[in-house]
Amino acid sequence: MGNAVRSNKLRLTDILVTIVIAVVFGVIYKIWGPTYDLMKPFGIHAEQMIYGMWFMAGTFAFIVIRKPGVAILAEVAAATVSAFLGSEWGMSTLVYGLLQGLGAEVFFAVFRYRVANLMVTCLAAVGAAAASLILDYQYGYIDSLSAWNYTLFIGFRFLGSIIIAGVFAYYLAKALELTGVTRSLRPVSKQDYEALD
């Protein structure tokens, strides 16, 4: 039996599943805001270690769906839900969602949407983090800091992004796959048939 032919086009099912994922993450994003603020008193940019949660909709949705545009759609939709729930960052949340989704999407595109392993997921998380840093700078959210302080700030954001939106998102999606829920979203491949032997 040959490999199943797989279309990269988003089907209605893919879009609906992505939106459901985004709604769940949109609610989580709204709840995560106060958690982020609670970390600030610890100093040394400890809050940056949990910033990666805001990139997770895009990476998680891609691991589940594995098609072009999913990371952007998931991040924008999650940001929209968060904004409508009263996000403290208002409508700028949508701009963040768009650019963070784009930052993740770039890395999925580099691998032509064919590789959905842990390394690629972590790179996509770094891409989303880089996009968020650019926006933070544009909006004036990053204060003037000394070189070592910038290093901590950026390093912690990247590290937290890799852990949350990379490693955690990847293994969460893998756990979901074990339940069989995602089976209908991807065609059966030769490897799937061989696993039955």
Side-chain angles (χ1 to χ4, degrees), residues 8 10-11 13 58 64 82 96 104-105 112 117 151:
N8 265 344
L10 283 174
R11 301 169 301 160
T13 307
V64 172
S82 177
Y96 273 90
E105 195 83 34
R112 302 178 67 192
N117 62 23
T151 304

Side-chain angles (χ1 to χ4, degrees), residues 4-7 11 67 182-190 192:
V5 177
R6 188 165 177 258
S7 168
R11 301 169 301 160
K67 290 189 178 178
T182 61
R183 202 167 293 138
S184 65
L185 299 173
R186 291 191 294 280
V188 178
S189 68
K190 181 181 177 186
D192 292 326

Side-chain angles (χ1 to χ4, degrees), residues 4 10 20 35 48 58 79 101 124 157 164 167 170 182:
L10 283 174
V20 169
T35 306
Q48 297 306 310
R157 179 156 319 170
I164 298 173
V167 176
Y170 177 80
T182 61

Side-chain angles (χ1 to χ4, degrees), residues 89-171:
W89 295 283
M91 295 311 281
S92 69
T93 306
L94 301 180
V95 179
Y96 273 90
L98 177 62
L99 286 187
Q100 289 166 184
L102 186 59
E105 195 83 34
V106 165
F107 285 96
F108 295 132
V110 165
F111 292 91
R112 302 178 67 192
Y113 300 99
R114 292 182 183 166
V115 182
N117 62 23
L118 180 58
M119 182 196 74
V120 173
T121 308
C122 289
L123 286 173
V126 167
S132 73
L133 285 164
I134 291 166
L135 278 173
D136 279 358
Y137 179 77
Q138 290 295 322
Y139 279 115
Y141 294 150
I142 299 177
D143 300 324
S144 289
L145 302 171
S146 60
W148 71 269
N149 231 330
Y150 272 125
T151 304
L152 278 180
F153 185 93
I154 293 167
F156 282 171
R157 179 156 319 170
F158 281 140
L159 180 61
S161 300
I162 290 167
I163 292 168
I164 298 173
V167 176
F168 183 63
Y170 177 80
Y171 284 109

